[in-house]
Amino acid sequence: MPPLSPAETGDPGAEADRAVAAILDAALHGTERGTVVDSPPGAGKSTLVVRAARELVGAGERLMVVAQTNSQVDDLVDRLATADAALTVGRLHGSDAAPAPEALRHPAVSASTKPADLLECSVVVSTAAKWQWVKDVDPWRHAIVDEAYQMRSDALLAVARLFERALFVGDPGQLDPFSIVGTDQWAGLSYDPSSSAVMTLLAHNPRIVPHRLPVSWRLPASAAPLVSAAFYPYAPFRSGTGPGDRRLTLAAPGDGSAVDRVVDVAAESGWGLLELPARHTVRTDPEAVRAVAAVVRRLLDRRGTAVSERGSAPLTADRIAVGTAHRDQAAAVRTALAALGVPVHGGAADGGSADGGSADRADAVTVDTANRLQGREYDVTVVLHPLSGRPDATAFHLETGRLCVLASRHRHACIVVARAGIAELLDEHPSTEPVQLGVTVKFPDGWTANHAVLEHLSEHRVPG
Amino acid sequence: MSLLGTLARMEAVRDGRAVPLATVRHRHLADRPMVLVPLAAAGEAGAPLAVMLGQDRESPVLLSLPQPLDRDRRFALLADLAAELLPWLEGYGDQVELLTKEVKDPATGEKTEQVRELCTDAPQLLVPGPAAVEFLGLLGRSTRFRRTAEDPDPGPYPAPARVPLLGRWLTQLRDRAQVPGSSLLLAMTDLLGRHWATGQSRLEDQHLGALLGWIAPPAGLTGAEAALRAETARDDRGQLLCPPAGPTTDPRFDSGLLAPAITRYDAARQLGDAVAAQAREADIAALLETVLRPTWERMWQGVDLLRALPAAAHLPERWEGDRWSYTSHRDRIAAGEPPQPVRDDAVTAARKLAQREREQTRLDIQEALDDPLAMAEHRLSGEAMAGVVVEVEPAYDTTGRTPKPRPLVTLRTDDRPHGDAGRELYRAGGPAAQKAELVSADPASGLVTVRLLNGMGRKKEPEPGSVPEPGEQVCFTLFELTARQSAPLPEPEDTPWTHGGPPAARAGTVPADPVEGA
């Protein structure tokens, strides 16, 4: 394994500012019609989008913004309107997906299902799925595509007629877009409709060189080196905070149980692995689900305090998230938490296309799948390992992005609950996906990344 | 694999025979399907060796090659295959129904009636397994661009006249076979695997003999024994009792029987002995028949097993999609359009993907509606619930000018739907499409209350029969019961800059796709 720590030189703030300035210059004045920004987890992608939107509007441009889920759109609208009260923002939405109240609380935000109602707005924001249906409007000169690595190539094909130039922002390490049917037929084509929008864009516009945000403000110093080395080996990043800048303290002492010990280990080191005895289980492994719920319960009972560069705040339920691979696992964890008296939410209605969870409720723990936790941030995350208790390691469970999302949502600590034997399972299931000609091999593959994370976690292991 | 699927496989192991996965047949089965068993020659991709085909199980047609490397003979075989298949394929194009559709002229806004033809039936081709589907696709790809003697510039090796046309049909059938739920070209192992769970893995299920061994084991044998016998039992000459269903042949057949027979044929030809060559050729045909015949019989055994299942309610609706597919291909050929391109352009690929995803969603929904065993999978995963109505409480929405019925229905169920209060639900199997919302669920007592939201008429009191009565069995799903429309895509000539612009402008710069894409 390469050394865990990328070179740390200079002030991270200044380094990030230089990157942002170069990106804005390229988006506004660059010779290429597209600008691509690769952003590691928590590197200020949303801040960049808001800033770019304000600069573009300030330069007299009308702007359309494409996000992937309704909650991302609501979140963006809220951020835009909060950052600049004078900015007129249009929230274009589907007839069956009402915008969230947070998005509509600003006077300068107007919402409609018809694009014609919003043409006066400086910025119009909607999901890719909704933009695809927009017709009979003059193209915008500028677009910002958020979470562009989660957007499918065919969605870009349908919306690209709406803009002349675009800034694509996204995290290449997260989950790739997927299809419910086989797509091998188009593998290797530059415009494979199931690949990500950025892949297609770069294949057809080879002169576009992706920009990179170099600093993760979310991940603590304990996590950035591991996540960078395991998931972004060729685009290393660093944490914005140094060792000791973030602390998690617990008011109530532990009772010596495995659950409390793993909480202590994680509070101390930023990582914890609660390892249950090896066993093949059903997906909703009752013991593992109970262990996850117990960890969350104890985190709350022991009255944690999160100290960071933002100050000191109590570790409340809304600052904790539970991540799983499957929806039924999330549902089982929610039931188990409810039985322990922990308020939960997540698993919102998923009508329509890819739709994220709703905005966080103030007093509840978020429990959701990796797909829906993308782009979200918490103080502590508790993760049910995707390979826990499995007899096999399928491509789904090995997907690099799934583990990356689950391991990079936290500002302070991440606690993983897993059955023993995952390393052996990985060794028994080397990647066997057929090699497709013309397809860029994704590196690191899920197998390597899983081993890297597991090796690191094993230093913070508590047998359960 | 779903939990229920895993359970069914474990039950199959315990019982020693396959367990039904469906109460109805989920794929269209023609009255007289065309059964086709292709064999490929070892050592050369896409080289045909023999084909057994026909619509009558008693009298199959055997087409075979004495020397699979002989290009002239290969194209003669393909010409024979075209002579067998094309009249049958084209025959369905004559019977049509006329459908009228009102279309609005985008320029003038005037409404005009458009009449379209839809063939009343379409051909159905059954092959042993997915490998045979791919093989037919390969044949289509290797033949549809061939020039024939009828071309203005036939080139040095023109193909027989109808072979490229056969290639276009095979390409079309294989392409349609990628659409979930389609039934123009079906693989028997897929068909049987959808309807029965065996005590072996899905990979092993691709062996037609082993699969049938589990579904219908001979008297005195368990499914596992019958499957093992189908896979491994050999006669005193060392030949498999159940030859592989193709397209690949058993290597011991190739080296022990076929290769020597071909050598004898070649020798007779080299000696210029036409009579002997003909005799040797007949030997090879007889030899190939011995390895094709068992598969042929198994194909029809599979047809019998499937026919014993009652047809699912949504089959005619999905078969209509196949009829449209057939009709439009017939029209493209009649209009003199060129053969399908080697690779889809960006827009065509996106359109095909959208269609397949829509059809996959539709298939999942329709199978769940047609079959309680399919719905059980959704119930187990918390995506649906079924139970008996114990109480109906009239309630009204009084926010509008006139009160609207919004009755509360409480059902007793063991299912645990994964949804919070307010989650939208859809009634399955009701008199009409009906939405509801989850009001409360109490897993301890097994009582779930939902509020019906529509489908009860315009009056204050619900239309009779639109609200379930106490004692009635009802089912609600958390997923919508209709597939969503796909978003519109640009025309190929409007392909945007992000995707390289229109295909013509980009000709020659597309990265090669060496294998797939036909």
Side-chain angles (χ1 to χ4, degrees), chain B residues 204-228:
Chain B
E204 292 165 301
D205 278 352
Q206 290 194 17
H207 189 298
L208 182 60
L211 179 57
L212 281 166
W214 274 100
I215 296 172
L221 287 186
T222 66
E225 288 163 352
L228 186 67

Side-chain angles (χ1 to χ4, degrees), chain A residues 243-259:
Chain A
D245 288 354
R246 300 243 176 102
R247 271 176 299 123
L248 184 63
T249 53
L250 301 157
D255 59 12
S257 67
V259 167

Side-chain angles (χ1 to χ4, degrees), chain B residues 141-152:
Chain B
R141 184 176 156 135
S142 68
T143 53
R144 70 178 189 267
F145 300 109
R146 295 292 305 216
R147 283 177 290 180
T148 69
E150 293 166 6
D151 269 309

Side-chain angles (χ1 to χ4, degrees), chain A residues 365-398:
Chain A
V365 173
T366 303
V367 183
D368 239 321
T369 57
N371 298 60
R372 284 148 176 260
L373 290 177
Q374 293 190 97
R376 312 198 80 78
E377 175 175 302
Y378 302 89
D379 281 342
V380 179
T381 53
V382 184
V383 173
L384 179 56
H385 197 290
L387 293 171
S388 175
R390 289 196 64 83
D392 60 354
T394 68
F396 174 89
H397 299 94
L398 279 178

Side-chain angles (χ1 to χ4, degrees), chain A residues 251-330:
Chain A
D255 59 12
S257 67
V259 167
D260 268 16
R261 276 186 291 137
V262 81
V263 168
D264 286 329
V265 168
E268 177 66 32
S269 69
W271 293 99
L273 170 64
L274 180 59
E275 193 172 67
L276 305 178
R279 193 173 171 190
H280 288 165
T281 65
V282 293
R283 229 153 65 174
T284 52
D285 178 2
E287 281 174 20
V289 164
R290 268 202 302 277
V292 169
V295 168
V296 175
R297 179 75 262 178
R298 288 302 292 165
L299 275 170
L300 290 170
D301 288 350
R302 293 180 61 189
R303 301 189 308 281
T305 304
V307 181
S308 75
E309 68 282 7
R310 293 183 196 167
S312 163
L315 180 66
T316 46
D318 61 309
R319 297 306 304 154
I320 300 175
V322 177
T324 65
H326 292 283
R327 280 197 302 207
D328 53 357
Q329 294 172 331

Side-chain angles (χ1 to χ4, degrees), chain A residues 5 46 56 76 112-113 188 205-206 282 313 329 366 392 403 421 433 438 443:
Chain A
S5 174
S46 305
L56 285 166
L76 261 176
S112 175
T113 57
N205 298 273
V282 293
Q329 294 172 331
T366 303
D392 60 354
L403 187 65
E433 292 300 294
F443 193 86

